[in-house]
Amino acid sequence: HVTDLVEKIALSHPEISIRLIVNNQSRLHTSGNHNLKDIIYTVYGREIAANLLPVEVSNGIVKISGFIGKPVIARGNRNFENYFINGRYVKSLTGMSALEEAYRNNIMEGKFPACVLFLDVPPQTVDVNVHPAKVEVRFSDEKLIYEAVYFAVKNAIMLDTKPVEMKIPTREKTEAD
């Protein structure tokens, strides 16, 4: 639990160098260089970091930034879904639903996308008193947040999806032609 918490703190603060030592072994050491992608590499490894898509969208009320995973790194659980509301790690059912719907038809059923998404929203629109641990949140306008996350993620996926060029193979004419 401690390692998981330290990883979330490291992801939420790429400007701070964090070192976690467990049983006299360095388990995690972030650079503090302000580069979120470097922190994701340190926390989740090369495969995840090499398959990220940037997300940067603002609609005037909600600002969403961070990274989502390409469909090839979808996992069998939601452990790689990270949401930060105004810099604080949270679990957001709205965020999860929007993210997973945006990936529909891009990943296999039963797989879940990876993300490290930061949502900056007006503080009065977030209710953190949903759960005693203050990890789950509710929004005063769930639809606004859902649509913001959905379209930010969908656009990032679509920008990465390059159309496949299909060519009809040519053959030389034969006597039968």
Side-chain angles (χ1 to χ4, degrees):
H1 291 292
V2 171
T3 300
D4 188 49
L5 178 62
V6 172
E7 288 173 350
K8 303 297 187 224
I9 293 170
L11 289 168
S12 69
H13 293 286
E15 74 281 5
I16 298 173
S17 176
I18 296 176
R19 175 175 277 169
L20 174 64
I21 299 170
V22 178
N23 295 328
N24 292 326
Q25 292 184 339
S26 182
R27 181 86 176 253
L28 175 74
H29 185 217
T30 64
S31 63
N33 68 355
H34 296 265
N35 187 329
L36 179 59
K37 196 168 185 178
D38 288 351
I39 307 307
I40 294 170
Y41 178 91
T42 302
V43 172
Y44 292 125
R46 181 183 321 189
E47 181 190 10
I48 300 289
N51 289 290
L52 295 175
L53 301 172
V55 175
E56 187 78 37
V57 176
S58 178
N59 68 5
I61 299 170
V62 179
K63 179 184 176 209
I64 301 173
S65 61
F67 292 93
I68 59 170
K70 292 181 180 180
V72 296
I73 59 169
R75 299 292 193 247
N77 57 47
R78 290 185 175 97
N79 292 345
F80 290 85
E81 289 185 26
N82 297 280
Y83 303 92
F84 300 90
I85 308 292
N86 298 337
R88 176 183 175 159
Y89 174 76
V90 298
K91 290 186 179 178
S92 169
L93 295 177
T94 303
M96 286 179 202
S97 298
L99 178 80
E100 292 166 16
E101 183 62 28
Y103 273 90
R104 185 192 290 230
N105 299 326
N106 288 297
I107 59 176
M108 290 184 354
E109 200 167 314
K111 297 285 187 179
F112 300 94
C115 74
V116 177
L117 290 177
F118 292 85
L119 284 75
D120 291 320
V121 299
Q124 66 273 18
T125 64
V126 183
D127 181 6
V128 295
N129 294 315
V130 176
H131 188 273
K134 311 279 191 228
V135 176
E136 292 180 32
V137 296
R138 197 173 297 136
F139 300 97
S140 60
D141 189 347
E142 298 281 341
K143 185 177 182 205
L144 173 74
I145 302 302
Y146 180 93
E147 289 177 350
V149 172
Y150 175 83
F151 287 113
V153 171
K154 195 70 170 172
N155 286 337
I157 294 169
M158 289 174 63
L159 283 173
D160 184 60
T161 307
K162 297 167 184 71
V164 177
E165 185 177 332
M166 296 183 67
K167 291 184 180 180
I168 298 174
T170 58
R171 62 179 179 89
E172 291 185 30
K173 290 187 176 188
T174 63
E175 287 181 27
D177 293 333

